[in-house]
């Protein structure tokens, strides 16, 4: 926790921001929803191997209608040019608007873009680097809002006002804050891991706007990009041979080291590497592995959740997984050991996330904080929530009360809410 806070302060400070691993980008989101936002809004959520388009009709605080559709991004586009990527997105947006009969309307759009961004304003975000398997040319160093607007303009057939760009942790916080005004932290534990929180403007050296005077807003959301924590060696004291091997074979060696210890993209592979090591040492499966087990990336993160969902003393899911991997000869003792390995991987992930969350809660020092959480690992792992509550309670200052709230579709609804709040403020 001390190391995390030190790194966050380095990210917030003008002097050290350039070399800080945890960049603490300013989002320029300064207004949280107050429940009075109304109207139709589009949201575009790009953060992994597919993206979603949503149409959200806000009626009042707890009454909204949401329609959405998921579109795939082919590997060729993930590794192609930025123009191809944004043309593909604009085409899907136009098709979606046709399908839902809003093709003729001018709609405000919130754009969730879950990659590291340097934000220069609510509608200007420069891509710092690609993560999560993307490598489109001509996008790093560019304003992704402008690239999206250009692609929409090239089509010339739809009228969309891009009101805000944000990342998924900001969307998560906004979507929870809509119904819970104590929500001050948003965390993602899914394919990747990230967090954002409410910071005082006076602590943000890089905030480009007035910091004092009448009617000046005192707070702003900070997108920490904490997945990169540890890139300078701050996590070496807890990294293992398995972490080093995962990093070596990743597409971004030496980068996003905390994310590689926490997120769904790597958890299954961490378990597989340990299982392989103990199999080769003759301690699992009588020393007899299988081709599938020995193949990189074949022990999926969902297997970790399934194996840990077995009731104590039973191995129903575990045996199913091992059979899929060609390990029909596993004994009960092997199953118990495989489950133990999975528990070590997932509880370490939960504890690392919890230390980071507790550090943010202590830094804000508010009497009561709700943490909005989204992501497949948090949602589907049977014990993650309980592990986190236990560990955060251990680390948070005794006078602070906190709770964890599952974000209902943060990156989608949250984006629409940021657009809605921006429209509310503009009016």
């Amino acid at each position: 926790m001390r190391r995390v806070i030190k790194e966050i302060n380095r990210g917030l400070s003008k002097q050290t921001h350039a070399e800080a691993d945890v960049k603490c980008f300013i989002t320029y989101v300064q207004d949280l929803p107050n429940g009075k936002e109304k109207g139709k809004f589009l949201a575009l959520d790009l953060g992994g191997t597919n993206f979603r388009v949503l149409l959200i009709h806000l009626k009042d605080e707890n009454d909204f209608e949401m329609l959405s559709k998921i579109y795939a991004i082919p590997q060729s586009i993930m590794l192609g040019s930025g123009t191809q990527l944004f043309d593909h997105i604009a085409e899907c947006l136009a098709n979606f608007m046709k399908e839902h009969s809003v093709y003729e309307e001018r709609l405000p759009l919130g754009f969730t873009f879950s990659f590291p961004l340097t934000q220069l304003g609510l509608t200007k975000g420069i891509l710092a680097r690609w993560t999560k398997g993307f490598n489109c040319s001509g996008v790093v160093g560019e304003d992704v809002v402008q690239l999206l607007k250009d692609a929409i303009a090239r089509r010339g057939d739809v009228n969309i006002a891009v009101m805000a760009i944000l990342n998924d942790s900001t969307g998560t916080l906004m979507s929870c804050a809509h119904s819970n005004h104590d929500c001050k932290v948003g965390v993602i534990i899914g394919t990747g891991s990230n967090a954002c929180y409410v910071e005082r403007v006076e602590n943000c050296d890089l905030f480009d706007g007035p910091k004092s005077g009448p009617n000046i807003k005192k707070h702003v959301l900070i997108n920490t990009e904490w997945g990169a924590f540890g890139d300078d060696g701050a996590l070496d004291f807890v990294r293992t041979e398995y972490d080093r091997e995962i990093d070596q074979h990743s597409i971004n060696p030496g980068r996003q080291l905390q994310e590689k210890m926490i997120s769904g993209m790597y958890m299954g592979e961490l378990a597989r590497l340990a299982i392989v090591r103990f199999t080769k040492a003759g301690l699992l499966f009588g020393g007899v592995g299988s081709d599938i087990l020995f193949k990189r990336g074949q022990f999926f993160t969902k297997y970790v959740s399934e194996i840990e969902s077995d009731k104590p003393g039973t191995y129903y899911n575990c045996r199913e997984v091992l059979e899929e991997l060609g390990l029909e000869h596993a004994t009960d003792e092997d199953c118990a050991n495989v489950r133990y390995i999975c528990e070590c991987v997932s509880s370490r992930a939960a504890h690392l996330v919890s230390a980071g969350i507790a550090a943010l809660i202590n830094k804000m020092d508010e009497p009561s904080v709700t943490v909005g959480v989204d992501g497949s690992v948090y949602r589907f792992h049977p014990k993650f929530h309980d592990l986190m509550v236990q560990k955060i309670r251990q680390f948070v200052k005794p006078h602070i009360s906190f709770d964890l709230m599952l974000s209902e579709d943060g990156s989608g609804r949250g984006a629409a809410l940021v657009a809605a709040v921006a429209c509310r403020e503009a009016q």
Side-chain angles (χ1 to χ4, degrees), residues 264-297:
M265 191 160 177
Y266 307 99
M267 218 184 248
E269 182 64 5
L270 279 167
R272 188 191 73 85
L273 290 170
I275 292 167
V276 165
R277 182 191 154 186
F278 294 121
T279 303
K280 288 185 170 168
L283 297 166
L284 273 175
F285 316 125
V288 181
S290 69
D291 291 348
I292 306 177
L293 175 66
F294 293 145
K295 197 167 170 212
R296 223 182 293 288

PDB file of all heavy atoms in Angstrom, residues 264-297:
ATOM      1  N   GLY A 264      -7.911 -11.273 -15.515  1.00  0.00           N
ATOM      2  CA  GLY A 264      -8.433 -12.486 -16.130  1.00  0.00           C
ATOM      3  C   GLY A 264      -7.644 -12.928 -17.348  1.00  0.00           C
ATOM      4  O   GLY A 264      -7.678 -14.094 -17.733  1.00  0.00           O
ATOM      5  N   MET A 265      -6.923 -11.985 -17.951  1.00  0.00           N
ATOM      6  CA  MET A 265      -6.151 -12.363 -19.139  1.00  0.00           C
ATOM      7  C   MET A 265      -5.013 -13.328 -18.783  1.00  0.00           C
ATOM      8  O   MET A 265      -4.560 -14.089 -19.624  1.00  0.00           O
ATOM      9  CB  MET A 265      -5.584 -11.105 -19.810  1.00  0.00           C
ATOM     10  CG  MET A 265      -4.999 -11.363 -21.179  1.00  0.00           C
ATOM     11  SD  MET A 265      -4.894  -9.825 -22.098  1.00  0.00           S
ATOM     12  CE  MET A 265      -4.102 -10.412 -23.574  1.00  0.00           C
ATOM     13  N   TYR A 266      -4.562 -13.302 -17.525  1.00  0.00           N
ATOM     14  CA  TYR A 266      -3.349 -14.056 -17.153  1.00  0.00           C
ATOM     15  C   TYR A 266      -3.553 -15.098 -16.058  1.00  0.00           C
ATOM     16  O   TYR A 266      -2.700 -15.947 -15.844  1.00  0.00           O
ATOM     17  CB  TYR A 266      -2.254 -13.072 -16.691  1.00  0.00           C
ATOM     18  CG  TYR A 266      -1.990 -11.982 -17.694  1.00  0.00           C
ATOM     19  CD1 TYR A 266      -2.551 -10.714 -17.553  1.00  0.00           C
ATOM     20  CD2 TYR A 266      -1.203 -12.233 -18.825  1.00  0.00           C
ATOM     21  CE1 TYR A 266      -2.335  -9.723 -18.499  1.00  0.00           C
ATOM     22  CE2 TYR A 266      -0.970 -11.235 -19.769  1.00  0.00           C
ATOM     23  CZ  TYR A 266      -1.544  -9.988 -19.605  1.00  0.00           C
ATOM     24  OH  TYR A 266      -1.327  -9.021 -20.541  1.00  0.00           O
ATOM     25  N   MET A 267      -4.679 -15.016 -15.336  1.00  0.00           N
ATOM     26  CA  MET A 267      -4.850 -15.856 -14.150  1.00  0.00           C
ATOM     27  C   MET A 267      -4.782 -17.362 -14.470  1.00  0.00           C
ATOM     28  O   MET A 267      -4.148 -18.132 -13.754  1.00  0.00           O
ATOM     29  CB  MET A 267      -6.208 -15.527 -13.535  1.00  0.00           C
ATOM     30  CG  MET A 267      -6.203 -15.537 -12.052  1.00  0.00           C
ATOM     31  SD  MET A 267      -7.883 -15.255 -11.495  1.00  0.00           S
ATOM     32  CE  MET A 267      -7.708 -13.678 -10.791  1.00  0.00           C
ATOM     33  N   GLY A 268      -5.460 -17.763 -15.548  1.00  0.00           N
ATOM     34  CA  GLY A 268      -5.454 -19.178 -15.922  1.00  0.00           C
ATOM     35  C   GLY A 268      -4.052 -19.647 -16.282  1.00  0.00           C
ATOM     36  O   GLY A 268      -3.627 -20.745 -15.896  1.00  0.00           O
ATOM     37  N   GLU A 269      -3.317 -18.786 -16.995  1.00  0.00           N
ATOM     38  CA  GLU A 269      -1.963 -19.158 -17.404  1.00  0.00           C
ATOM     39  C   GLU A 269      -1.025 -19.262 -16.192  1.00  0.00           C
ATOM     40  O   GLU A 269      -0.164 -20.148 -16.137  1.00  0.00           O
ATOM     41  CB  GLU A 269      -1.443 -18.141 -18.427  1.00  0.00           C
ATOM     42  CG  GLU A 269      -0.056 -18.415 -18.979  1.00  0.00           C
ATOM     43  CD  GLU A 269       0.095 -19.702 -19.797  1.00  0.00           C
ATOM     44  OE1 GLU A 269      -0.913 -20.395 -20.057  1.00  0.00           O
ATOM     45  OE2 GLU A 269       1.240 -20.018 -20.164  1.00  0.00           O
ATOM     46  N   LEU A 270      -1.211 -18.385 -15.194  1.00  0.00           N
ATOM     47  CA  LEU A 270      -0.418 -18.487 -13.962  1.00  0.00           C
ATOM     48  C   LEU A 270      -0.640 -19.855 -13.316  1.00  0.00           C
ATOM     49  O   LEU A 270       0.315 -20.525 -12.908  1.00  0.00           O
ATOM     50  CB  LEU A 270      -0.826 -17.399 -12.959  1.00  0.00           C
ATOM     51  CG  LEU A 270      -0.234 -16.002 -13.159  1.00  0.00           C
ATOM     52  CD1 LEU A 270      -0.976 -14.982 -12.296  1.00  0.00           C
ATOM     53  CD2 LEU A 270       1.252 -15.988 -12.811  1.00  0.00           C
ATOM     54  N   ALA A 271      -1.920 -20.272 -13.223  1.00  0.00           N
ATOM     55  CA  ALA A 271      -2.234 -21.580 -12.630  1.00  0.00           C
ATOM     56  C   ALA A 271      -1.609 -22.697 -13.472  1.00  0.00           C
ATOM     57  O   ALA A 271      -1.020 -23.640 -12.937  1.00  0.00           O
ATOM     58  CB  ALA A 271      -3.743 -21.764 -12.525  1.00  0.00           C
ATOM     59  N   ARG A 272      -1.710 -22.573 -14.811  1.00  0.00           N
ATOM     60  CA  ARG A 272      -1.169 -23.626 -15.687  1.00  0.00           C
ATOM     61  C   ARG A 272       0.347 -23.795 -15.488  1.00  0.00           C
ATOM     62  O   ARG A 272       0.856 -24.920 -15.391  1.00  0.00           O
ATOM     63  CB  ARG A 272      -1.447 -23.289 -17.164  1.00  0.00           C
ATOM     64  CG  ARG A 272      -1.076 -24.437 -18.129  1.00  0.00           C
ATOM     65  CD  ARG A 272      -1.109 -23.995 -19.578  1.00  0.00           C
ATOM     66  NE  ARG A 272       0.007 -23.130 -19.911  1.00  0.00           N
ATOM     67  CZ  ARG A 272       1.224 -23.561 -20.277  1.00  0.00           C
ATOM     68  NH1 ARG A 272       1.476 -24.872 -20.382  1.00  0.00           N
ATOM     69  NH2 ARG A 272       2.190 -22.706 -20.552  1.00  0.00           N
ATOM     70  N   LEU A 273       1.061 -22.673 -15.387  1.00  0.00           N
ATOM     71  CA  LEU A 273       2.516 -22.757 -15.243  1.00  0.00           C
ATOM     72  C   LEU A 273       2.904 -23.484 -13.953  1.00  0.00           C
ATOM     73  O   LEU A 273       3.836 -24.289 -13.933  1.00  0.00           O
ATOM     74  CB  LEU A 273       3.134 -21.352 -15.272  1.00  0.00           C
ATOM     75  CG  LEU A 273       3.093 -20.651 -16.644  1.00  0.00           C
ATOM     76  CD1 LEU A 273       3.497 -19.185 -16.510  1.00  0.00           C
ATOM     77  CD2 LEU A 273       3.998 -21.353 -17.654  1.00  0.00           C
ATOM     78  N   ALA A 274       2.160 -23.204 -12.875  1.00  0.00           N
ATOM     79  CA  ALA A 274       2.446 -23.893 -11.610  1.00  0.00           C
ATOM     80  C   ALA A 274       2.119 -25.383 -11.737  1.00  0.00           C
ATOM     81  O   ALA A 274       2.887 -26.250 -11.294  1.00  0.00           O
ATOM     82  CB  ALA A 274       1.648 -23.255 -10.476  1.00  0.00           C
ATOM     83  N   ILE A 275       0.964 -25.688 -12.359  1.00  0.00           N
ATOM     84  CA  ILE A 275       0.566 -27.098 -12.524  1.00  0.00           C
ATOM     85  C   ILE A 275       1.611 -27.849 -13.364  1.00  0.00           C
ATOM     86  O   ILE A 275       2.002 -28.968 -13.043  1.00  0.00           O
ATOM     87  CB  ILE A 275      -0.847 -27.182 -13.168  1.00  0.00           C
ATOM     88  CG1 ILE A 275      -1.897 -26.647 -12.175  1.00  0.00           C
ATOM     89  CG2 ILE A 275      -1.185 -28.621 -13.572  1.00  0.00           C
ATOM     90  CD1 ILE A 275      -3.267 -26.378 -12.809  1.00  0.00           C
ATOM     91  N   VAL A 276       2.096 -27.205 -14.433  1.00  0.00           N
ATOM     92  CA  VAL A 276       3.116 -27.833 -15.292  1.00  0.00           C
ATOM     93  C   VAL A 276       4.394 -28.094 -14.492  1.00  0.00           C
ATOM     94  O   VAL A 276       4.978 -29.174 -14.558  1.00  0.00           O
ATOM     95  CB  VAL A 276       3.414 -26.944 -16.525  1.00  0.00           C
ATOM     96  CG1 VAL A 276       4.697 -27.373 -17.223  1.00  0.00           C
ATOM     97  CG2 VAL A 276       2.235 -26.983 -17.499  1.00  0.00           C
ATOM     98  N   ARG A 277       4.780 -27.103 -13.698  1.00  0.00           N
ATOM     99  CA  ARG A 277       6.028 -27.271 -12.931  1.00  0.00           C
ATOM    100  C   ARG A 277       5.928 -28.480 -11.994  1.00  0.00           C
ATOM    101  O   ARG A 277       6.847 -29.294 -11.907  1.00  0.00           O
ATOM    102  CB  ARG A 277       6.320 -26.003 -12.131  1.00  0.00           C
ATOM    103  CG  ARG A 277       7.627 -26.138 -11.372  1.00  0.00           C
ATOM    104  CD  ARG A 277       7.869 -25.055 -10.362  1.00  0.00           C
ATOM    105  NE  ARG A 277       8.759 -25.588  -9.327  1.00  0.00           N
ATOM    106  CZ  ARG A 277       9.091 -24.941  -8.237  1.00  0.00           C
ATOM    107  NH1 ARG A 277       8.621 -23.733  -8.010  1.00  0.00           N
ATOM    108  NH2 ARG A 277       9.880 -25.489  -7.349  1.00  0.00           N
ATOM    109  N   PHE A 278       4.773 -28.602 -11.302  1.00  0.00           N
ATOM    110  CA  PHE A 278       4.640 -29.696 -10.333  1.00  0.00           C
ATOM    111  C   PHE A 278       4.418 -31.045 -11.024  1.00  0.00           C
ATOM    112  O   PHE A 278       4.767 -32.086 -10.474  1.00  0.00           O
ATOM    113  CB  PHE A 278       3.531 -29.383  -9.320  1.00  0.00           C
ATOM    114  CG  PHE A 278       3.878 -28.206  -8.444  1.00  0.00           C
ATOM    115  CD1 PHE A 278       3.073 -27.079  -8.397  1.00  0.00           C
ATOM    116  CD2 PHE A 278       5.037 -28.214  -7.677  1.00  0.00           C
ATOM    117  CE1 PHE A 278       3.420 -25.982  -7.609  1.00  0.00           C
ATOM    118  CE2 PHE A 278       5.386 -27.135  -6.881  1.00  0.00           C
ATOM    119  CZ  PHE A 278       4.578 -26.009  -6.848  1.00  0.00           C
ATOM    120  N   THR A 279       3.844 -30.997 -12.234  1.00  0.00           N
ATOM    121  CA  THR A 279       3.695 -32.251 -12.994  1.00  0.00           C
ATOM    122  C   THR A 279       5.074 -32.750 -13.417  1.00  0.00           C
ATOM    123  O   THR A 279       5.414 -33.924 -13.244  1.00  0.00           O
ATOM    124  CB  THR A 279       2.802 -32.021 -14.237  1.00  0.00           C
ATOM    125  OG1 THR A 279       1.547 -31.495 -13.805  1.00  0.00           O
ATOM    126  CG2 THR A 279       2.566 -33.321 -14.990  1.00  0.00           C
ATOM    127  N   LYS A 280       5.890 -31.827 -13.930  1.00  0.00           N
ATOM    128  CA  LYS A 280       7.235 -32.221 -14.394  1.00  0.00           C
ATOM    129  C   LYS A 280       8.122 -32.673 -13.233  1.00  0.00           C
ATOM    130  O   LYS A 280       9.038 -33.467 -13.426  1.00  0.00           O
ATOM    131  CB  LYS A 280       7.881 -31.070 -15.166  1.00  0.00           C
ATOM    132  CG  LYS A 280       7.205 -30.878 -16.531  1.00  0.00           C
ATOM    133  CD  LYS A 280       7.885 -29.841 -17.390  1.00  0.00           C
ATOM    134  CE  LYS A 280       7.311 -29.885 -18.806  1.00  0.00           C
ATOM    135  NZ  LYS A 280       7.735 -28.721 -19.603  1.00  0.00           N
ATOM    136  N   ALA A 281       7.799 -32.178 -12.025  1.00  0.00           N
ATOM    137  CA  ALA A 281       8.582 -32.600 -10.854  1.00  0.00           C
ATOM    138  C   ALA A 281       8.041 -33.914 -10.275  1.00  0.00           C
ATOM    139  O   ALA A 281       8.515 -34.394  -9.239  1.00  0.00           O
ATOM    140  CB  ALA A 281       8.542 -31.504  -9.794  1.00  0.00           C
ATOM    141  N   GLY A 282       7.019 -34.476 -10.925  1.00  0.00           N
ATOM    142  CA  GLY A 282       6.459 -35.753 -10.466  1.00  0.00           C
ATOM    143  C   GLY A 282       5.523 -35.634  -9.271  1.00  0.00           C
ATOM    144  O   GLY A 282       5.176 -36.625  -8.640  1.00  0.00           O
ATOM    145  N   LEU A 283       5.081 -34.398  -8.963  1.00  0.00           N
ATOM    146  CA  LEU A 283       4.241 -34.186  -7.778  1.00  0.00           C
ATOM    147  C   LEU A 283       2.748 -34.128  -8.116  1.00  0.00           C
ATOM    148  O   LEU A 283       1.915 -34.095  -7.222  1.00  0.00           O
ATOM    149  CB  LEU A 283       4.653 -32.887  -7.080  1.00  0.00           C
ATOM    150  CG  LEU A 283       6.095 -32.890  -6.529  1.00  0.00           C
ATOM    151  CD1 LEU A 283       6.537 -31.483  -6.172  1.00  0.00           C
ATOM    152  CD2 LEU A 283       6.204 -33.813  -5.325  1.00  0.00           C
ATOM    153  N   LEU A 284       2.418 -34.068  -9.400  1.00  0.00           N
ATOM    154  CA  LEU A 284       1.019 -34.067  -9.826  1.00  0.00           C
ATOM    155  C   LEU A 284       0.845 -35.095 -10.941  1.00  0.00           C
ATOM    156  O   LEU A 284       1.747 -35.258 -11.784  1.00  0.00           O
ATOM    157  CB  LEU A 284       0.631 -32.686 -10.384  1.00  0.00           C
ATOM    158  CG  LEU A 284       0.136 -31.604  -9.424  1.00  0.00           C
ATOM    159  CD1 LEU A 284      -0.063 -30.297 -10.180  1.00  0.00           C
ATOM    160  CD2 LEU A 284      -1.162 -31.999  -8.735  1.00  0.00           C
ATOM    161  N   PHE A 285      -0.325 -35.737 -10.975  1.00  0.00           N
ATOM    162  CA  PHE A 285      -0.703 -36.675 -12.056  1.00  0.00           C
ATOM    163  C   PHE A 285       0.347 -37.775 -12.277  1.00  0.00           C
ATOM    164  O   PHE A 285       0.544 -38.213 -13.413  1.00  0.00           O
ATOM    165  CB  PHE A 285      -0.941 -35.921 -13.381  1.00  0.00           C
ATOM    166  CG  PHE A 285      -1.747 -34.668 -13.231  1.00  0.00           C
ATOM    167  CD1 PHE A 285      -1.269 -33.445 -13.693  1.00  0.00           C
ATOM    168  CD2 PHE A 285      -2.988 -34.692 -12.597  1.00  0.00           C
ATOM    169  CE1 PHE A 285      -2.008 -32.281 -13.538  1.00  0.00           C
ATOM    170  CE2 PHE A 285      -3.738 -33.531 -12.445  1.00  0.00           C
ATOM    171  CZ  PHE A 285      -3.239 -32.329 -12.909  1.00  0.00           C
ATOM    172  N   GLY A 286       1.037 -38.163 -11.205  1.00  0.00           N
ATOM    173  CA  GLY A 286       2.069 -39.199 -11.334  1.00  0.00           C
ATOM    174  C   GLY A 286       3.155 -38.821 -12.328  1.00  0.00           C
ATOM    175  O   GLY A 286       3.814 -39.677 -12.925  1.00  0.00           O
ATOM    176  N   GLY A 287       3.325 -37.517 -12.520  1.00  0.00           N
ATOM    177  CA  GLY A 287       4.361 -37.050 -13.454  1.00  0.00           C
ATOM    178  C   GLY A 287       3.949 -37.127 -14.922  1.00  0.00           C
ATOM    179  O   GLY A 287       4.751 -36.824 -15.805  1.00  0.00           O
ATOM    180  N   VAL A 288       2.693 -37.522 -15.192  1.00  0.00           N
ATOM    181  CA  VAL A 288       2.252 -37.665 -16.590  1.00  0.00           C
ATOM    182  C   VAL A 288       1.297 -36.513 -16.939  1.00  0.00           C
ATOM    183  O   VAL A 288       0.176 -36.449 -16.425  1.00  0.00           O
ATOM    184  CB  VAL A 288       1.530 -39.023 -16.807  1.00  0.00           C
ATOM    185  CG1 VAL A 288       1.102 -39.180 -18.261  1.00  0.00           C
ATOM    186  CG2 VAL A 288       2.440 -40.166 -16.372  1.00  0.00           C
ATOM    187  N   GLY A 289       1.755 -35.619 -17.809  1.00  0.00           N
ATOM    188  CA  GLY A 289       0.920 -34.486 -18.219  1.00  0.00           C
ATOM    189  C   GLY A 289       0.166 -34.805 -19.498  1.00  0.00           C
ATOM    190  O   GLY A 289      -0.118 -35.975 -19.790  1.00  0.00           O
ATOM    191  N   SER A 290      -0.180 -33.776 -20.271  1.00  0.00           N
ATOM    192  CA  SER A 290      -0.851 -33.987 -21.558  1.00  0.00           C
ATOM    193  C   SER A 290      -0.435 -32.865 -22.505  1.00  0.00           C
ATOM    194  O   SER A 290       0.027 -31.811 -22.063  1.00  0.00           O
ATOM    195  CB  SER A 290      -2.370 -33.950 -21.380  1.00  0.00           C
ATOM    196  OG  SER A 290      -2.773 -32.625 -21.058  1.00  0.00           O
ATOM    197  N   ASP A 291      -0.624 -33.100 -23.812  1.00  0.00           N
ATOM    198  CA  ASP A 291      -0.245 -32.075 -24.800  1.00  0.00           C
ATOM    199  C   ASP A 291      -0.977 -30.759 -24.545  1.00  0.00           C
ATOM    200  O   ASP A 291      -0.406 -29.681 -24.668  1.00  0.00           O
ATOM    201  CB  ASP A 291      -0.573 -32.558 -26.228  1.00  0.00           C
ATOM    202  CG  ASP A 291       0.357 -33.717 -26.638  1.00  0.00           C
ATOM    203  OD1 ASP A 291       1.349 -33.950 -25.906  1.00  0.00           O
ATOM    204  OD2 ASP A 291       0.092 -34.359 -27.664  1.00  0.00           O
ATOM    205  N   ILE A 292      -2.267 -30.869 -24.168  1.00  0.00           N
ATOM    206  CA  ILE A 292      -3.049 -29.634 -23.965  1.00  0.00           C
ATOM    207  C   ILE A 292      -2.506 -28.870 -22.753  1.00  0.00           C
ATOM    208  O   ILE A 292      -2.318 -27.658 -22.799  1.00  0.00           O
ATOM    209  CB  ILE A 292      -4.561 -29.934 -23.770  1.00  0.00           C
ATOM    210  CG1 ILE A 292      -5.092 -30.771 -24.933  1.00  0.00           C
ATOM    211  CG2 ILE A 292      -5.360 -28.640 -23.643  1.00  0.00           C
ATOM    212  CD1 ILE A 292      -6.550 -31.189 -24.811  1.00  0.00           C
ATOM    213  N   LEU A 293      -2.227 -29.610 -21.679  1.00  0.00           N
ATOM    214  CA  LEU A 293      -1.708 -28.959 -20.467  1.00  0.00           C
ATOM    215  C   LEU A 293      -0.401 -28.222 -20.766  1.00  0.00           C
ATOM    216  O   LEU A 293      -0.154 -27.134 -20.246  1.00  0.00           O
ATOM    217  CB  LEU A 293      -1.482 -29.989 -19.349  1.00  0.00           C
ATOM    218  CG  LEU A 293      -0.832 -29.437 -18.070  1.00  0.00           C
ATOM    219  CD1 LEU A 293      -1.754 -28.448 -17.360  1.00  0.00           C
ATOM    220  CD2 LEU A 293      -0.443 -30.562 -17.116  1.00  0.00           C
ATOM    221  N   PHE A 294       0.439 -28.826 -21.612  1.00  0.00           N
ATOM    222  CA  PHE A 294       1.753 -28.244 -21.862  1.00  0.00           C
ATOM    223  C   PHE A 294       1.717 -27.122 -22.906  1.00  0.00           C
ATOM    224  O   PHE A 294       2.750 -26.577 -23.275  1.00  0.00           O
ATOM    225  CB  PHE A 294       2.752 -29.329 -22.289  1.00  0.00           C
ATOM    226  CG  PHE A 294       3.068 -30.316 -21.180  1.00  0.00           C
ATOM    227  CD1 PHE A 294       3.295 -31.657 -21.450  1.00  0.00           C
ATOM    228  CD2 PHE A 294       3.129 -29.903 -19.848  1.00  0.00           C
ATOM    229  CE1 PHE A 294       3.575 -32.566 -20.425  1.00  0.00           C
ATOM    230  CE2 PHE A 294       3.411 -30.797 -18.816  1.00  0.00           C
ATOM    231  CZ  PHE A 294       3.634 -32.132 -19.103  1.00  0.00           C
ATOM    232  N   LYS A 295       0.516 -26.788 -23.378  1.00  0.00           N
ATOM    233  CA  LYS A 295       0.413 -25.752 -24.410  1.00  0.00           C
ATOM    234  C   LYS A 295       0.011 -24.424 -23.772  1.00  0.00           C
ATOM    235  O   LYS A 295      -0.958 -24.348 -23.022  1.00  0.00           O
ATOM    236  CB  LYS A 295      -0.637 -26.189 -25.440  1.00  0.00           C
ATOM    237  CG  LYS A 295      -0.543 -25.436 -26.727  1.00  0.00           C
ATOM    238  CD  LYS A 295      -1.378 -26.126 -27.808  1.00  0.00           C
ATOM    239  CE  LYS A 295      -1.435 -25.186 -28.998  1.00  0.00           C
ATOM    240  NZ  LYS A 295      -2.651 -25.277 -29.746  1.00  0.00           N
ATOM    241  N   ARG A 296       0.761 -23.391 -24.096  1.00  0.00           N
ATOM    242  CA  ARG A 296       0.516 -22.058 -23.533  1.00  0.00           C
ATOM    243  C   ARG A 296      -0.924 -21.592 -23.778  1.00  0.00           C
ATOM    244  O   ARG A 296      -1.476 -21.786 -24.860  1.00  0.00           O
ATOM    245  CB  ARG A 296       1.479 -21.069 -24.197  1.00  0.00           C
ATOM    246  CG  ARG A 296       2.114 -20.090 -23.246  1.00  0.00           C
ATOM    247  CD  ARG A 296       3.017 -19.112 -23.958  1.00  0.00           C
ATOM    248  NE  ARG A 296       4.198 -19.714 -24.529  1.00  0.00           N
ATOM    249  CZ  ARG A 296       5.232 -20.170 -23.823  1.00  0.00           C
ATOM    250  NH1 ARG A 296       5.203 -20.086 -22.506  1.00  0.00           N
ATOM    251  NH2 ARG A 296       6.270 -20.708 -24.400  1.00  0.00           N
ATOM    252  N   GLY A 297      -1.531 -21.016 -22.742  1.00  0.00           N
ATOM    253  CA  GLY A 297      -2.851 -20.408 -22.922  1.00  0.00           C
ATOM    254  C   GLY A 297      -4.028 -21.368 -22.937  1.00  0.00           C
ATOM    255  O   GLY A 297      -5.160 -20.967 -23.181  1.00  0.00           O
TER     256      GLY A 297
END
